[in-house]
Amino acid sequence: LLVADGVYDYGDGIMAAIDATVYGLVDDEPYYAGNVWSDGTVGSILTATPTTNTTYKVYAKDINGCENSKEVSVKLYDVPSITIKGEKTVCINEAASLLATGNCINYKWTEGPSSALYEPIVSAETTFEVVGEDSHGCTNKAYITVSPVEKPVLSTEGNTYACIGNDVTLTAQGAKSYEWELDETGELLSKASTLIVKMDQAKSIRLTGHRDNCSNTITIPLTVNMPPVIGIMGNTEICQGDMLQLTAT
């Protein structure tokens, strides 16, 4: 009796180990006669790393001189494609957003969830690994290293007050890109580093700065100064040649 399974499916580069064993009976007890594979391998186990679909054949001969053979077909699948989408820096002690993509049906993050999305808290530089498995059971891995960065320290230059009707000019510092918003409504005012605001009333400005995928926000209150209330006292009706005297109050 020659035993060898029929069809084997393996991913590209996966080692195939095929076990073929010859059995017979001598005095009603089983014995092993040995076998030879089509590639010259001698023994019950053939170990190979096929690179294409391959058929292997094993030949056997028992002690009575009887011969037999059997074939197995190895079908080769490509390993699945897998990549990780996500930023390589994140604010220290905040969550990174890592998404595994490819033609896999299952994903498993090392020390993480069994899902495509992983949002780990990053407090030190860390390399994350994900294993993807396709419908044939073939697997592949992808890696990404994420580094934590400190939040940008924001500041502004310029007066935070002006007379009513005049402009306030503020220049942001401490980050690479900026967003100015009206704090009361969330209205986006500018994405430039310098903001000019006409002061028709007191208002609050929200400044967000971005650097290396890390953001910080500060709020700047702006005050408006009203003009002084003045009056003029004095006689505005005089005779020609008389002295006029007016007093500002």
PDB file of all heavy atoms in Angstrom, residues 158-189:
ATOM      1  N   GLY A 158       2.784  90.567  18.342  1.00  0.00           N
ATOM      2  CA  GLY A 158       1.836  91.602  17.965  1.00  0.00           C
ATOM      3  C   GLY A 158       0.928  91.966  19.113  1.00  0.00           C
ATOM      4  O   GLY A 158       0.715  91.183  20.047  1.00  0.00           O
ATOM      5  N   ASN A 159       0.384  93.183  19.065  1.00  0.00           N
ATOM      6  CA  ASN A 159      -0.544  93.633  20.098  1.00  0.00           C
ATOM      7  C   ASN A 159      -1.859  92.880  20.011  1.00  0.00           C
ATOM      8  O   ASN A 159      -2.321  92.537  18.917  1.00  0.00           O
ATOM      9  CB  ASN A 159      -0.805  95.141  19.964  1.00  0.00           C
ATOM     10  CG  ASN A 159       0.424  95.969  20.314  1.00  0.00           C
ATOM     11  OD1 ASN A 159       1.241  95.561  21.137  1.00  0.00           O
ATOM     12  ND2 ASN A 159       0.563  97.136  19.676  1.00  0.00           N
ATOM     13  N   THR A 160      -2.442  92.627  21.145  1.00  0.00           N
ATOM     14  CA  THR A 160      -3.725  91.926  21.197  1.00  0.00           C
ATOM     15  C   THR A 160      -4.864  92.907  21.467  1.00  0.00           C
ATOM     16  O   THR A 160      -5.937  92.503  21.910  1.00  0.00           O
ATOM     17  CB  THR A 160      -3.700  90.840  22.289  1.00  0.00           C
ATOM     18  OG1 THR A 160      -3.381  91.454  23.541  1.00  0.00           O
ATOM     19  CG2 THR A 160      -2.680  89.770  21.960  1.00  0.00           C
ATOM     20  N   TYR A 161      -4.646  94.173  21.166  1.00  0.00           N
ATOM     21  CA  TYR A 161      -5.674  95.194  21.343  1.00  0.00           C
ATOM     22  C   TYR A 161      -5.507  96.246  20.254  1.00  0.00           C
ATOM     23  O   TYR A 161      -4.442  96.399  19.649  1.00  0.00           O
ATOM     24  CB  TYR A 161      -5.563  95.846  22.724  1.00  0.00           C
ATOM     25  CG  TYR A 161      -4.205  96.474  22.965  1.00  0.00           C
ATOM     26  CD1 TYR A 161      -3.946  97.796  22.581  1.00  0.00           C
ATOM     27  CD2 TYR A 161      -3.182  95.746  23.544  1.00  0.00           C
ATOM     28  CE1 TYR A 161      -2.694  98.362  22.777  1.00  0.00           C
ATOM     29  CE2 TYR A 161      -1.933  96.306  23.748  1.00  0.00           C
ATOM     30  CZ  TYR A 161      -1.698  97.618  23.357  1.00  0.00           C
ATOM     31  OH  TYR A 161      -0.461  98.175  23.542  1.00  0.00           O
ATOM     32  N   ALA A 162      -6.583  96.974  20.003  1.00  0.00           N
ATOM     33  CA  ALA A 162      -6.542  98.065  19.035  1.00  0.00           C
ATOM     34  C   ALA A 162      -7.751  98.949  19.257  1.00  0.00           C
ATOM     35  O   ALA A 162      -8.758  98.537  19.861  1.00  0.00           O
ATOM     36  CB  ALA A 162      -6.528  97.536  17.600  1.00  0.00           C
ATOM     37  N   CYS A 163      -7.654 100.191  18.792  1.00  0.00           N
ATOM     38  CA  CYS A 163      -8.813 101.072  18.830  1.00  0.00           C
ATOM     39  C   CYS A 163      -9.871 100.544  17.873  1.00  0.00           C
ATOM     40  O   CYS A 163      -9.559  99.906  16.860  1.00  0.00           O
ATOM     41  CB  CYS A 163      -8.412 102.485  18.421  1.00  0.00           C
ATOM     42  SG  CYS A 163      -7.252 103.268  19.572  1.00  0.00           S
ATOM     43  N   ILE A 164     -11.116 100.773  18.191  1.00  0.00           N
ATOM     44  CA  ILE A 164     -12.199 100.287  17.356  1.00  0.00           C
ATOM     45  C   ILE A 164     -12.032 100.802  15.931  1.00  0.00           C
ATOM     46  O   ILE A 164     -11.689 101.959  15.699  1.00  0.00           O
ATOM     47  CB  ILE A 164     -13.571 100.696  17.937  1.00  0.00           C
ATOM     48  CG1 ILE A 164     -14.690  99.976  17.178  1.00  0.00           C
ATOM     49  CG2 ILE A 164     -13.757 102.199  17.922  1.00  0.00           C
ATOM     50  CD1 ILE A 164     -16.042 100.085  17.864  1.00  0.00           C
ATOM     51  N   GLY A 165     -12.215  99.884  14.986  1.00  0.00           N
ATOM     52  CA  GLY A 165     -12.055 100.221  13.575  1.00  0.00           C
ATOM     53  C   GLY A 165     -10.646 100.019  13.061  1.00  0.00           C
ATOM     54  O   GLY A 165     -10.430  99.994  11.842  1.00  0.00           O
ATOM     55  N   ASN A 166      -9.680  99.859  13.950  1.00  0.00           N
ATOM     56  CA  ASN A 166      -8.299  99.605  13.522  1.00  0.00           C
ATOM     57  C   ASN A 166      -8.024  98.096  13.425  1.00  0.00           C
ATOM     58  O   ASN A 166      -8.860  97.272  13.791  1.00  0.00           O
ATOM     59  CB  ASN A 166      -7.310 100.261  14.482  1.00  0.00           C
ATOM     60  CG  ASN A 166      -7.347 101.774  14.392  1.00  0.00           C
ATOM     61  OD1 ASN A 166      -7.945 102.338  13.473  1.00  0.00           O
ATOM     62  ND2 ASN A 166      -6.744 102.451  15.356  1.00  0.00           N
ATOM     63  N   ASP A 167      -6.828  97.747  12.934  1.00  0.00           N
ATOM     64  CA  ASP A 167      -6.456  96.344  12.749  1.00  0.00           C
ATOM     65  C   ASP A 167      -5.528  95.858  13.858  1.00  0.00           C
ATOM     66  O   ASP A 167      -4.709  96.625  14.384  1.00  0.00           O
ATOM     67  CB  ASP A 167      -5.739  96.140  11.403  1.00  0.00           C
ATOM     68  CG  ASP A 167      -6.652  96.387  10.216  1.00  0.00           C
ATOM     69  OD1 ASP A 167      -7.886  96.291  10.389  1.00  0.00           O
ATOM     70  OD2 ASP A 167      -6.130  96.679   9.115  1.00  0.00           O
ATOM     71  N   VAL A 168      -5.673  94.584  14.175  1.00  0.00           N
ATOM     72  CA  VAL A 168      -4.697  93.860  14.999  1.00  0.00           C
ATOM     73  C   VAL A 168      -3.944  92.918  14.078  1.00  0.00           C
ATOM     74  O   VAL A 168      -4.551  92.184  13.295  1.00  0.00           O
ATOM     75  CB  VAL A 168      -5.394  93.071  16.127  1.00  0.00           C
ATOM     76  CG1 VAL A 168      -4.455  92.004  16.695  1.00  0.00           C
ATOM     77  CG2 VAL A 168      -5.834  93.999  17.236  1.00  0.00           C
ATOM     78  N   THR A 169      -2.624  92.918  14.168  1.00  0.00           N
ATOM     79  CA  THR A 169      -1.785  92.027  13.360  1.00  0.00           C
ATOM     80  C   THR A 169      -1.032  91.081  14.285  1.00  0.00           C
ATOM     81  O   THR A 169      -0.292  91.514  15.168  1.00  0.00           O
ATOM     82  CB  THR A 169      -0.790  92.828  12.506  1.00  0.00           C
ATOM     83  OG1 THR A 169      -1.516  93.714  11.641  1.00  0.00           O
ATOM     84  CG2 THR A 169       0.073  91.900  11.667  1.00  0.00           C
ATOM     85  N   LEU A 170      -1.249  89.783  14.076  1.00  0.00           N
ATOM     86  CA  LEU A 170      -0.619  88.757  14.890  1.00  0.00           C
ATOM     87  C   LEU A 170       0.202  87.824  14.003  1.00  0.00           C
ATOM     88  O   LEU A 170      -0.259  87.424  12.921  1.00  0.00           O
ATOM     89  CB  LEU A 170      -1.666  87.934  15.639  1.00  0.00           C
ATOM     90  CG  LEU A 170      -2.557  88.683  16.640  1.00  0.00           C
ATOM     91  CD1 LEU A 170      -3.633  87.753  17.180  1.00  0.00           C
ATOM     92  CD2 LEU A 170      -1.716  89.249  17.773  1.00  0.00           C
ATOM     93  N   THR A 171       1.389  87.457  14.446  1.00  0.00           N
ATOM     94  CA  THR A 171       2.242  86.511  13.727  1.00  0.00           C
ATOM     95  C   THR A 171       2.499  85.307  14.621  1.00  0.00           C
ATOM     96  O   THR A 171       2.954  85.450  15.755  1.00  0.00           O
ATOM     97  CB  THR A 171       3.577  87.162  13.327  1.00  0.00           C
ATOM     98  OG1 THR A 171       3.306  88.273  12.461  1.00  0.00           O
ATOM     99  CG2 THR A 171       4.465  86.171  12.593  1.00  0.00           C
ATOM    100  N   ALA A 172       2.184  84.100  14.094  1.00  0.00           N
ATOM    101  CA  ALA A 172       2.324  82.862  14.862  1.00  0.00           C
ATOM    102  C   ALA A 172       3.751  82.342  14.787  1.00  0.00           C
ATOM    103  O   ALA A 172       4.442  82.486  13.779  1.00  0.00           O
ATOM    104  CB  ALA A 172       1.359  81.813  14.328  1.00  0.00           C
ATOM    105  N   GLN A 173       4.184  81.694  15.863  1.00  0.00           N
ATOM    106  CA  GLN A 173       5.507  81.090  15.924  1.00  0.00           C
ATOM    107  C   GLN A 173       5.421  79.736  16.628  1.00  0.00           C
ATOM    108  O   GLN A 173       4.519  79.505  17.428  1.00  0.00           O
ATOM    109  CB  GLN A 173       6.481  81.996  16.690  1.00  0.00           C
ATOM    110  CG  GLN A 173       6.739  83.333  16.025  1.00  0.00           C
ATOM    111  CD  GLN A 173       7.666  84.221  16.833  1.00  0.00           C
ATOM    112  OE1 GLN A 173       7.660  84.161  18.060  1.00  0.00           O
ATOM    113  NE2 GLN A 173       8.459  85.042  16.162  1.00  0.00           N
ATOM    114  N   GLY A 174       6.366  78.834  16.304  1.00  0.00           N
ATOM    115  CA  GLY A 174       6.484  77.573  17.028  1.00  0.00           C
ATOM    116  C   GLY A 174       6.070  76.331  16.275  1.00  0.00           C
ATOM    117  O   GLY A 174       6.283  75.217  16.755  1.00  0.00           O
ATOM    118  N   ALA A 175       5.475  76.477  15.075  1.00  0.00           N
ATOM    119  CA  ALA A 175       5.049  75.310  14.302  1.00  0.00           C
ATOM    120  C   ALA A 175       5.396  75.517  12.832  1.00  0.00           C
ATOM    121  O   ALA A 175       6.017  76.519  12.453  1.00  0.00           O
ATOM    122  CB  ALA A 175       3.552  75.063  14.482  1.00  0.00           C
ATOM    123  N   LYS A 176       4.988  74.548  11.990  1.00  0.00           N
ATOM    124  CA  LYS A 176       5.277  74.643  10.561  1.00  0.00           C
ATOM    125  C   LYS A 176       4.091  75.159   9.761  1.00  0.00           C
ATOM    126  O   LYS A 176       4.264  75.778   8.717  1.00  0.00           O
ATOM    127  CB  LYS A 176       5.698  73.275  10.022  1.00  0.00           C
ATOM    128  CG  LYS A 176       7.060  72.809  10.513  1.00  0.00           C
ATOM    129  CD  LYS A 176       7.444  71.480   9.884  1.00  0.00           C
ATOM    130  CE  LYS A 176       8.830  71.040  10.329  1.00  0.00           C
ATOM    131  NZ  LYS A 176       9.212  69.730   9.738  1.00  0.00           N
ATOM    132  N   SER A 177       2.893  74.891  10.201  1.00  0.00           N
ATOM    133  CA  SER A 177       1.696  75.384   9.533  1.00  0.00           C
ATOM    134  C   SER A 177       0.667  75.771  10.595  1.00  0.00           C
ATOM    135  O   SER A 177       0.723  75.284  11.735  1.00  0.00           O
ATOM    136  CB  SER A 177       1.115  74.344   8.577  1.00  0.00           C
ATOM    137  OG  SER A 177       0.715  73.174   9.278  1.00  0.00           O
ATOM    138  N   TYR A 178      -0.255  76.644  10.182  1.00  0.00           N
ATOM    139  CA  TYR A 178      -1.152  77.234  11.181  1.00  0.00           C
ATOM    140  C   TYR A 178      -2.569  77.338  10.625  1.00  0.00           C
ATOM    141  O   TYR A 178      -2.797  77.372   9.410  1.00  0.00           O
ATOM    142  CB  TYR A 178      -0.671  78.627  11.571  1.00  0.00           C
ATOM    143  CG  TYR A 178       0.746  78.659  12.095  1.00  0.00           C
ATOM    144  CD1 TYR A 178       1.810  78.942  11.240  1.00  0.00           C
ATOM    145  CD2 TYR A 178       1.025  78.403  13.430  1.00  0.00           C
ATOM    146  CE1 TYR A 178       3.117  78.971  11.705  1.00  0.00           C
ATOM    147  CE2 TYR A 178       2.317  78.423  13.912  1.00  0.00           C
ATOM    148  CZ  TYR A 178       3.367  78.715  13.043  1.00  0.00           C
ATOM    149  OH  TYR A 178       4.650  78.735  13.502  1.00  0.00           O
ATOM    150  N   GLU A 179      -3.519  77.413  11.562  1.00  0.00           N
ATOM    151  CA  GLU A 179      -4.909  77.726  11.248  1.00  0.00           C
ATOM    152  C   GLU A 179      -5.412  78.709  12.306  1.00  0.00           C
ATOM    153  O   GLU A 179      -5.291  78.457  13.505  1.00  0.00           O
ATOM    154  CB  GLU A 179      -5.779  76.462  11.260  1.00  0.00           C
ATOM    155  CG  GLU A 179      -5.455  75.483  10.148  1.00  0.00           C
ATOM    156  CD  GLU A 179      -6.229  74.194  10.270  1.00  0.00           C
ATOM    157  OE1 GLU A 179      -6.965  74.044  11.269  1.00  0.00           O
ATOM    158  OE2 GLU A 179      -6.105  73.338   9.385  1.00  0.00           O
ATOM    159  N   TRP A 180      -5.952  79.829  11.809  1.00  0.00           N
ATOM    160  CA  TRP A 180      -6.570  80.826  12.688  1.00  0.00           C
ATOM    161  C   TRP A 180      -8.087  80.695  12.561  1.00  0.00           C
ATOM    162  O   TRP A 180      -8.624  80.682  11.451  1.00  0.00           O
ATOM    163  CB  TRP A 180      -6.155  82.233  12.283  1.00  0.00           C
ATOM    164  CG  TRP A 180      -4.680  82.516  12.273  1.00  0.00           C
ATOM    165  CD1 TRP A 180      -3.814  82.311  11.240  1.00  0.00           C
ATOM    166  CD2 TRP A 180      -3.915  83.101  13.332  1.00  0.00           C
ATOM    167  NE1 TRP A 180      -2.550  82.726  11.589  1.00  0.00           N
ATOM    168  CE2 TRP A 180      -2.577  83.219  12.874  1.00  0.00           C
ATOM    169  CE3 TRP A 180      -4.225  83.539  14.628  1.00  0.00           C
ATOM    170  CZ2 TRP A 180      -1.557  83.765  13.647  1.00  0.00           C
ATOM    171  CZ3 TRP A 180      -3.208  84.077  15.398  1.00  0.00           C
ATOM    172  CH2 TRP A 180      -1.893  84.186  14.918  1.00  0.00           C
ATOM    173  N   GLU A 181      -8.771  80.621  13.707  1.00  0.00           N
ATOM    174  CA  GLU A 181     -10.223  80.512  13.700  1.00  0.00           C
ATOM    175  C   GLU A 181     -10.821  81.492  14.706  1.00  0.00           C
ATOM    176  O   GLU A 181     -10.187  81.822  15.714  1.00  0.00           O
ATOM    177  CB  GLU A 181     -10.665  79.095  14.058  1.00  0.00           C
ATOM    178  CG  GLU A 181     -10.223  78.038  13.069  1.00  0.00           C
ATOM    179  CD  GLU A 181     -10.532  76.638  13.560  1.00  0.00           C
ATOM    180  OE1 GLU A 181     -10.140  76.315  14.703  1.00  0.00           O
ATOM    181  OE2 GLU A 181     -11.165  75.887  12.805  1.00  0.00           O
ATOM    182  N   LEU A 182     -12.035  81.905  14.408  1.00  0.00           N
ATOM    183  CA  LEU A 182     -12.787  82.713  15.369  1.00  0.00           C
ATOM    184  C   LEU A 182     -13.333  81.774  16.435  1.00  0.00           C
ATOM    185  O   LEU A 182     -14.090  80.837  16.133  1.00  0.00           O
ATOM    186  CB  LEU A 182     -13.919  83.447  14.655  1.00  0.00           C
ATOM    187  CG  LEU A 182     -14.609  84.558  15.430  1.00  0.00           C
ATOM    188  CD1 LEU A 182     -13.628  85.661  15.815  1.00  0.00           C
ATOM    189  CD2 LEU A 182     -15.760  85.142  14.608  1.00  0.00           C
ATOM    190  N   ASP A 183     -12.918  81.978  17.653  1.00  0.00           N
ATOM    191  CA  ASP A 183     -13.217  81.022  18.717  1.00  0.00           C
ATOM    192  C   ASP A 183     -14.712  80.884  18.948  1.00  0.00           C
ATOM    193  O   ASP A 183     -15.214  79.795  19.245  1.00  0.00           O
ATOM    194  CB  ASP A 183     -12.519  81.449  20.008  1.00  0.00           C
ATOM    195  CG  ASP A 183     -12.538  80.356  21.070  1.00  0.00           C
ATOM    196  OD1 ASP A 183     -12.380  79.182  20.695  1.00  0.00           O
ATOM    197  OD2 ASP A 183     -12.745  80.671  22.253  1.00  0.00           O
ATOM    198  N   GLU A 184     -15.440  81.967  18.809  1.00  0.00           N
ATOM    199  CA  GLU A 184     -16.872  81.937  19.118  1.00  0.00           C
ATOM    200  C   GLU A 184     -17.668  81.094  18.117  1.00  0.00           C
ATOM    201  O   GLU A 184     -18.664  80.463  18.481  1.00  0.00           O
ATOM    202  CB  GLU A 184     -17.440  83.360  19.142  1.00  0.00           C
ATOM    203  CG  GLU A 184     -16.955  84.227  20.305  1.00  0.00           C
ATOM    204  CD  GLU A 184     -15.586  84.840  20.046  1.00  0.00           C
ATOM    205  OE1 GLU A 184     -15.000  84.587  18.958  1.00  0.00           O
ATOM    206  OE2 GLU A 184     -15.107  85.571  20.927  1.00  0.00           O
ATOM    207  N   THR A 185     -17.250  81.069  16.861  1.00  0.00           N
ATOM    208  CA  THR A 185     -18.035  80.391  15.819  1.00  0.00           C
ATOM    209  C   THR A 185     -17.286  79.271  15.117  1.00  0.00           C
ATOM    210  O   THR A 185     -17.894  78.462  14.415  1.00  0.00           O
ATOM    211  CB  THR A 185     -18.483  81.406  14.752  1.00  0.00           C
ATOM    212  OG1 THR A 185     -17.327  81.934  14.084  1.00  0.00           O
ATOM    213  CG2 THR A 185     -19.276  82.544  15.383  1.00  0.00           C
ATOM    214  N   GLY A 186     -15.964  79.197  15.269  1.00  0.00           N
ATOM    215  CA  GLY A 186     -15.184  78.208  14.533  1.00  0.00           C
ATOM    216  C   GLY A 186     -14.884  78.607  13.107  1.00  0.00           C
ATOM    217  O   GLY A 186     -14.326  77.806  12.342  1.00  0.00           O
ATOM    218  N   GLU A 187     -15.242  79.820  12.719  1.00  0.00           N
ATOM    219  CA  GLU A 187     -14.991  80.280  11.347  1.00  0.00           C
ATOM    220  C   GLU A 187     -13.488  80.334  11.074  1.00  0.00           C
ATOM    221  O   GLU A 187     -12.718  80.899  11.855  1.00  0.00           O
ATOM    222  CB  GLU A 187     -15.603  81.667  11.149  1.00  0.00           C
ATOM    223  CG  GLU A 187     -15.315  82.265   9.768  1.00  0.00           C
ATOM    224  CD  GLU A 187     -15.734  83.716   9.661  1.00  0.00           C
ATOM    225  OE1 GLU A 187     -16.332  84.217  10.647  1.00  0.00           O
ATOM    226  OE2 GLU A 187     -15.460  84.340   8.628  1.00  0.00           O
ATOM    227  N   LEU A 188     -13.068  79.716   9.958  1.00  0.00           N
ATOM    228  CA  LEU A 188     -11.660  79.737   9.571  1.00  0.00           C
ATOM    229  C   LEU A 188     -11.320  81.120   9.015  1.00  0.00           C
ATOM    230  O   LEU A 188     -11.929  81.580   8.054  1.00  0.00           O
ATOM    231  CB  LEU A 188     -11.378  78.660   8.523  1.00  0.00           C
ATOM    232  CG  LEU A 188      -9.935  78.584   8.012  1.00  0.00           C
ATOM    233  CD1 LEU A 188      -8.973  78.230   9.138  1.00  0.00           C
ATOM    234  CD2 LEU A 188      -9.836  77.574   6.871  1.00  0.00           C
ATOM    235  N   LEU A 189     -10.332  81.761   9.615  1.00  0.00           N
ATOM    236  CA  LEU A 189      -9.954  83.108   9.201  1.00  0.00           C
ATOM    237  C   LEU A 189      -8.754  83.106   8.260  1.00  0.00           C
ATOM    238  O   LEU A 189      -8.704  83.895   7.312  1.00  0.00           O
ATOM    239  CB  LEU A 189      -9.630  83.960  10.432  1.00  0.00           C
ATOM    240  CG  LEU A 189     -10.753  84.111  11.459  1.00  0.00           C
ATOM    241  CD1 LEU A 189     -10.259  84.897  12.662  1.00  0.00           C
ATOM    242  CD2 LEU A 189     -11.971  84.776  10.829  1.00  0.00           C
TER     243      LEU A 189
END
